[in-house]
Amino acid sequence: MMNTLYHFVGLLCCGYLSLYSLVASAENSHNVPSQLASQWAEVYASAAVVNIPRTQQFTLKDDSRDYQLMIKLPKNYQQNSMHHYPVIYMTDGMYSMQVVSGATRFPMNSNVMHQAILVAIGYQKGSKGASSRIRDYTPSHDSSWKLNTGEAKRHLRFIRETVMPFVEHQYRVDTQQNTFMGNSLGGLFGAYVLLEQPTLFTNYVLGSPSLWFDNKHLLKQFIQGVSQIRAISAKVFIGIGELERPPYTHDNHQMVADAQAFYQTLHSHPSTHAGTLQLKLLVIPEADHAMAFPTTAIHGLSWLFKRTD
């Protein structure tokens, strides 16, 4: 009888302990997120802004307009005090600086690629990015657009007369090695610079140029007037996504065909046969307009700055 009683009490104790264990586990499981949330709150409270190394921001004026400029110096700029560096000027500043800085960091820091100063030109401060870039990067006025267009001439003057002199005054610059880089409307703007002032830059990296703008006005200018352009001494890299064609493009723009026509037009210039104008066209497999630029940037800059010594 006593053995039976002891056995029953033992079963009750085991059951109670099991139940207590389950309750304790449940309570602890509710405490875990609370503890983690507290830890996360401390992490967020102590978080610091991450900056691109060796990069400064400036504001430059174009009459009543203010533009943000970001400049990143090479890793060995301070130590190599006698060296003068090539400069890569980029449109769409905030976007292009992040892409190009990240893409070139390893090859430049490991001496696979010649080091260069990166200069990213942003949009007019206080304006929406779209309105500033559409106005500044388009070379002709298209009345079908709601936003202002056709002020590329003014923006080119700002770069030539304000941005470049500022950079050359502030830093040790190789003035014979200036590179222009632009994508989309920025690529259209670069094609305009090449047509209007082909000697301003030594190199051009043109990503997915929007040559469709204003019924292909600039492309037609090139095709009709390429023979009138004096001798060109430059390297021109054109990158375009394989899918930048119908049905993948907005309004069925034939961007691949336009880029190929632009390349062929430049190729027909006497400077190509003389060897002073060097060209490269890259059609990027499986890339659409949103994807192509990072590949264009690193391939184009590698073509221009890869060390061969």
Side-chain angles (χ1 to χ4, degrees):
M1 183 72 177
M2 291 297 295
N3 287 339
T4 303
L5 179 63
Y6 289 149
H7 182 67
F8 178 73
V9 170
L11 288 174
L12 284 176
C13 290
C14 289
Y16 174 79
L17 289 174
S18 299
L19 179 62
Y20 175 82
S21 178
L22 287 172
V23 171
S25 296
E27 289 177 348
N28 287 339
S29 68
H30 286 296
N31 288 335
V32 170
S34 177
Q35 293 169 357
L36 288 177
S38 177
Q39 293 172 2
W40 290 337
E42 292 176 6
V43 170
Y44 292 144
S46 61
V49 175
V50 177
N51 297 312
I52 299 176
R54 305 180 305 281
T55 302
Q56 293 180 297
Q57 293 189 35
F58 302 89
T59 298
L60 298 186
K61 298 188 76 67
D62 178 18
D63 294 330
S64 61
R65 300 174 184 174
D66 293 338
Y67 288 86
Q68 178 179 287
L69 203 70
M70 287 184 289
I71 302 178
K72 180 182 179 181
L73 297 178
K75 183 179 181 180
N76 66 358
Y77 182 86
Q78 300 299 339
Q79 293 77 18
N80 200 353
S81 60
M82 300 302 292
H83 188 71
H84 288 67
Y85 292 85
V87 183
I88 301 167
Y89 292 91
M90 300 172 280
T91 58
D92 295 294
M94 185 62 72
Y95 170 59
S96 57
M97 175 59 89
Q98 294 181 77
V99 171
V100 176
S101 173
T104 59
R105 183 178 185 274
F106 177 74
M108 284 190 181
N109 288 357
S110 59
N111 260 347
V112 175
M113 184 184 292
H114 289 285
Q115 296 191 25
I117 297 171
L118 305 182
V119 178
I121 306 165
Y123 311 128
Q124 180 187 352
K125 295 179 71 174
S127 70
K128 293 183 178 179
S131 61
S132 178
R133 72 190 301 269
I134 289 170
R135 179 196 65 205
D136 293 341
Y137 299 166
T138 52
S140 56
H141 176 67
D142 187 342
S143 58
S144 67
W145 286 62
K146 293 182 179 179
L147 296 173
N148 291 335
T149 57
E151 294 196 25
K153 183 177 182 179
R154 172 174 173 170
H155 199 59
L156 172 56
R157 184 176 65 246
F158 168 65
I159 293 173
R160 182 184 67 242
E161 298 180 5
T162 302
V163 176
M164 296 177 77
F166 173 81
V167 173
E168 292 168 6
H169 176 75
Q170 291 287 116
Y171 303 103
R172 300 189 308 275
V173 168
D174 181 355
T175 57
Q176 304 303 309
Q177 288 292 325
N178 288 322
T179 297
F180 175 92
M181 174 179 286
N183 183 63
S184 192
L185 286 177
L188 173 72
F189 179 70
Y192 167 75
V193 177
L194 182 61
L195 177 64
E196 292 296 315
Q197 286 203 294
T199 60
L200 186 60
F201 294 96
T202 315
N203 307 309
Y204 293 80
V205 178
L206 308 179
S208 305
S210 298
L211 296 163
W212 49 262
F213 176 79
D214 193 14
N215 195 28
K216 305 188 183 184
H217 178 81
L218 185 68
L219 182 59
K220 292 173 183 177
Q221 271 191 301
F222 253 107
I223 294 172
Q224 294 168 4
V226 67
S227 60
Q228 305 302 316
I229 304 175
R230 291 179 293 178
I232 305 174
S233 180
K235 288 185 175 181
V236 180
F237 183 97
I238 305 163
I240 190 79
E242 179 186 35
L243 301 183
E244 296 193 66
R245 54 181 172 80
Y248 308 103
T249 51
H250 178 69
D251 286 342
N252 290 324
H253 294 312
Q254 296 278 359
M255 296 185 68
V256 176
D258 291 346
Q260 291 169 335
F262 179 58
Y263 172 84
Q264 291 298 333
T265 300
L266 286 173
H267 195 271
S268 68
H269 194 278
S271 295
T272 304
H273 305 291
T276 59
L277 175 58
Q278 299 180 48
L279 304 170
K280 187 167 184 177
L281 172 66
L282 175 66
V283 179
I284 304 164
E286 300 181 16
D288 59 19
H289 191 66
M291 296 166 52
F293 178 61
T295 303
T296 294
I298 191 58
H299 276 264
L301 293 178
S302 179
W303 182 59
L304 297 172
F305 291 101
K306 187 174 183 178
R307 298 184 71 99
T308 56
D309 52 353

